[in-house]
Amino acid sequence: MSEIYHQSIGQLAAALSARRLSSVELTQAVIARTKAVEPLIHAFNSFDEAGALAEARASDSRRSAGQSRGLLEGIPVGLKDVIAVDGQPLTASSRILSNFVSPYDATVTQKLRRAGAVLWGRLNCDEFAMGSSTENSAFGPTSNPWDTKRVPGGSSGGSAAALAAGAAIATLGSDTGGSIRQPASFCGVVGIKPTYGLVSRYGLAAFASSLDQIGPMTRTVEDAATMLAAIAGHDERDSTSYSAVIPDYHARLIAPNRPHKLGIPREYFGAGLDPEVGAAVEKAIEYYRAQGCEVKPVSLPHTQYCLDTYYIIATAEASSNLARYDGVRYGMRAAEAADIDDLYARSRAEGFGAEVKRRIILGTYVLSSGYYDAFYLRAQKVRTLIREDFLKTYQEVDALITPTSPVPAFKLGEKSDPLAMYLCDIYTIGVNLAGLPAISVPCGFTASGLPIGMQLIGQPFKEADLLAAAHRYEQAHDWYKRHPSL
Amino acid sequence: MSQPTELNIEHVARLARLRLTAEEEERFGRQLGEVLHHIEQLAKVDIDHVEPAAHAFPIFNIWAEDASQPALSVERALRNAPAQRDQMVVVPKVVD
């Protein structure tokens, strides 16, 4: 049996339920582990030890009174530092919010509280979730627990690294172009990007509103089902929230009608794919085939346009969303300003980091007079074609299987050129543009011991099928039992 | 499709209310030039008769009752204000 801080929600819920373990003991173990590994990985922007222990004591009291709220009762869950927790800092890893304290809870935060979870820590990320390595954090990068000279991926790098290192039992990330799935693959954990609209965005610091989704990062697929069940559901405070009934993800994990026909999009196995990553995903495909699944090649012909479409739409939306950071009502205010316009321009100059500035400039440009049709409107139309590509394949197959990232975790500082960094996301961004659900599941390790992830892409709102397909693979492969030696 | 050289970064930075240093203007201009060069390939896509997608799953007309509900207290709403006085945010003089 592994250390308690490396166990799954499923294992810990059983131990808590049998009173072999209290939430206070578990939370203390996670706090001690966090303090031990934090100097090596820097996954947290902040944490509130007293607050977490108070929540753990409250959880133990509920359990003693026979009022357990379910599987997440007493489980320490870490949140990416873009999700509001009442009374806790929310920095989005930006200087501009370095002193901001949330005045309310995000909907997902409230839902986790209602599920009995212990909220543990504010997890590092790329500034405003813009990046693929967590190197764009104003508070310094996070390191990959499997090799601390390497990045954990991004933007939810802190969420992935903390989980892999045992500094949280589960975490939440956010995914605009791959920001849950890519770090999950780099750190050897499970990460699911739900269908757009399944999880409320209320209380999420907005990056690109038509692409952003909050989702869980966990050790096992079963844990992902537990977390997703807790946070999914309609919310009238998010006008893009999906209003249908949420299925029982747990019960459906072992349902007989699991996805049977899997598509292999040929565009996702081309040039630039690391041979070890490709081989690991091929082995996973072989597994499904051996299990009697029908595996067939499919094509997503507009894949080569995903990156460009994404960087127009995401930066356009970001330039609009980040206009709110003006130094007036909250956030950093420049000390010396001649007038109100100067106050805006100086506060933003001092508060934002380089990548955020670049994206605001690009987004403002593609929306500006004379360029809107050529860039933004064109990108929206190509987005339609990208989405139709996916929906057409679903007339033939139930789900798609691809690598999550073309490469395993790269070295800190290795990708200094913005375009090279953007190319890391080529297998994940199409999913956001099409609004689809996708899950990254560990599917092996490189010879040098770095985790590899595969991505299963599902049909809109069919997370249950996706989880079932991933669970089936995980039951036969115990990659999740390996832990980094920190 | 527009050429990357058309990115007038000084003008765009002004639109974005973002004060850039000369070094940033040069560096971002060069880096975004490369990105825009990459983006030019979108011009190759045939988009005639294609509807634009603002969202993956368009949802229209979400109505909410126009009813008063509990909201943030003034204290909470102002907790993060950089400068405040008499329950108001203080800013530099806007009107002479």
Side-chain angles (χ1 to χ4, degrees):
Chain A
M1 187 72 96
S2 55
E3 299 284 352
I4 60 171
Y5 50 74
H6 276 316
Q7 291 181 23
S8 66
I9 295 170
Q11 288 172 300
L12 292 166
L16 287 162
S17 176
R19 306 298 180 90
R20 294 195 304 271
L21 179 70
S22 71
S23 176
V24 168
E25 287 165 346
L26 172 59
T27 304
Q28 281 170 336
V30 168
I31 290 170
R33 178 65 177 168
T34 300
K35 288 179 174 172
V37 298
E38 199 44 13
L40 302 170
I41 60 169
H42 184 236
F44 289 75
N45 283 339
S46 63
F47 48 73
D48 174 7
E49 201 176 328
L53 285 169
E55 289 177 20
R57 278 192 296 274
S59 169
D60 286 334
S61 300
R62 283 194 297 272
R63 196 180 289 281
S64 297
Q67 293 165 347
S68 168
R69 295 173 178 176
L71 288 169
L72 285 176
E73 182 66 77
I75 302 287
V77 176
L79 272 61
K80 184 177 181 180
D81 201 5
V82 289
I83 297 168
V85 177
D86 190 11
Q88 296 288 330
L90 188 163
T91 70
S93 291
S94 179
R95 272 191 304 279
I96 211 159
L97 287 177
S98 51
N99 294 316
F100 186 84
V101 175
S102 293
Y104 62 88
D105 271 345
T107 296
V108 292
T109 306
Q110 279 191 353
K111 283 175 171 274
L112 286 176
R113 290 189 200 279
R114 270 186 231 129
V118 171
L119 302 179
W120 174 239
R122 315 287 309 148
L123 294 160
N124 198 13
C125 54
D126 287 295
E127 185 176 3
F128 285 104
M130 297 180 188
S132 310
S133 69
T134 314
E135 293 171 290
N136 292 333
S137 167
F139 309 119
T142 294
S143 289
N144 191 314
W146 295 91
D147 177 350
T148 53
K149 291 188 181 64
R150 290 177 186 270
V151 303
S155 66
S156 310
S159 299
L163 180 61
I169 304 303
T171 58
L172 289 184
S174 66
D175 191 316
T176 306
S179 283
I180 288 173
R181 292 160 285 156
Q182 184 251 25
S185 79
F186 279 17
C187 291
V189 298
V190 175
I192 183 164
K193 197 290 276 185
T195 309
Y196 184 80
L198 185 73
V199 176
S200 170
R201 292 180 293 111
Y202 180 77
L204 169 69
F207 160 16
S209 305
S210 81
L211 304 164
D212 297 341
Q213 268 291 286
I214 296 170
M217 302 172 83
T218 56
R219 303 214 160 102
T220 65
V221 175
E222 188 181 3
D223 284 2
T226 303
M227 286 283 287
L228 189 61
I231 62 171
H234 184 251
D235 179 12
E236 63 183 21
R237 290 177 296 186
D238 173 358
S239 64
T240 60
S241 180
Y242 175 65
S243 58
V245 175
I246 304 301
D248 184 339
Y249 297 126
H250 258 116
R252 297 272 300 277
L253 280 180
I254 49 166
N257 57 344
R258 292 181 285 192
H260 187 71
K261 291 185 194 166
L262 293 174
I264 316 294
R266 63 175 64 94
E267 293 82 1
Y268 284 59
F269 291 83
L273 176 60
D274 178 275
E276 284 187 285
V277 174
V281 176
E282 292 289 349
K283 267 195 155 174
I285 293 167
E286 276 314 309
Y287 165 77
Y288 282 111
R289 196 176 272 132
Q291 288 291 301
C293 289
E294 191 183 319
V295 178
K296 61 191 288 185
V298 295
S299 177
L300 300 165
H302 293 90
T303 297
Q304 61 171 311
Y305 303 113
C306 285
L307 188 75
D308 300 321
T309 304
Y310 175 82
Y311 276 95
I312 291 172
I313 290 172
T315 60
E317 293 184 12
S319 72
S320 172
N321 273 325
L322 271 61
R324 73 190 65 179
Y325 302 103
D326 56 7
V328 173
R329 292 154 301 157
Y330 48 79
M332 173 185 272
R333 175 181 288 194
E336 292 171 26
D339 53 34
I340 190 77
D341 282 318
D342 196 39
L343 181 127
Y344 299 151
R346 280 177 187 265
S347 298
R348 290 160 66 76
E350 291 173 19
F352 290 137
E355 182 60 22
V356 173
K357 288 177 183 174
R358 267 192 296 271
R359 295 202 195 190
I360 289 173
I361 295 289
L362 183 59
T364 305
Y365 175 62
V366 301
L367 289 175
S368 65
S369 176
Y371 299 96
Y372 182 92
D373 286 3
F375 287 115
Y376 186 65
L377 189 62
R378 176 170 282 269
Q380 284 192 314
K381 290 181 177 180
V382 180
R383 183 178 185 178
T384 299
L385 296 172
I386 291 166
R387 179 163 181 265
E388 285 172 355
D389 278 356
F390 279 101
L391 298 182
K392 271 178 213 157
T393 68
Y394 291 137
Q395 292 169 2
E396 295 180 54
V397 297
D398 302 321
L400 305 174
I401 179 166
T402 77
T404 304
S405 162
V407 292
F410 46 89
K411 289 192 172 131
L412 286 153
E414 186 180 322
K415 295 191 191 289
S416 53
D417 166 39
L419 191 56
M421 188 71 86
Y422 297 170
L423 287 164
C424 297
D425 300 329
I426 50 170
Y427 298 153
T428 47
I429 52 183
V431 164
N432 297 76
L433 290 166
L436 301 170
I439 188 168
S440 180
V441 186
C443 71
F445 287 83
T446 65
S448 58
L450 297 174
I452 299 171
M454 65 166 170
Q455 174 177 237
L456 292 161
I457 306 172
Q459 300 177 45
F461 301 109
K462 293 203 172 170
E463 278 77 4
D465 290 350
L466 210 50
L467 289 162
H471 182 66
R472 175 182 209 160
Y473 174 84
E474 193 184 67
Q475 291 300 98
H477 301 81
D478 54 3
W479 308 114
Y480 67 91
K481 288 185 179 160
R482 293 198 201 177
H483 307 296
S485 51
L486 270 179
Chain B
M1 193 102 176
S2 313
Q3 295 302 305
T5 47
E6 290 181 36
L7 172 63
N8 178 344
I9 199 156
E10 218 182 315
H11 170 65
V12 177
R14 203 160 43 241
L15 291 178
R17 302 291 186 272
L18 194 56
R19 191 185 167 106
L20 297 183
T21 64
E23 185 277 325
E24 282 176 325
E25 280 183 11
E26 187 280 320
R27 181 160 46 101
F28 295 166
R30 180 166 38 80
Q31 291 167 329
L32 292 176
E34 286 171 23
V35 173
L36 286 166
H37 180 68
H38 200 273
I39 283 174
E40 275 176 50
Q41 65 156 339
L42 276 191
K44 290 187 287 189
V45 187
D46 179 6
I47 51 165
D48 287 350
H49 315 297
V50 178
E51 287 293 314
H55 274 277
F57 302 102
I59 303 170
F60 300 102
N61 295 345
I62 304 298
W63 304 104
E65 283 300 314
D66 186 14
S68 71
Q69 289 177 27
L72 290 184
S73 63
V74 174
E75 289 71 28
R76 275 183 172 242
L78 287 177
R79 183 158 72 187
N80 290 290
Q84 54 174 295
R85 194 173 62 221
D86 302 332
Q87 298 205 330
M88 290 181 285
V89 175
V90 178
V91 291
K93 205 169 178 182
V94 177
V95 184
D96 280 321

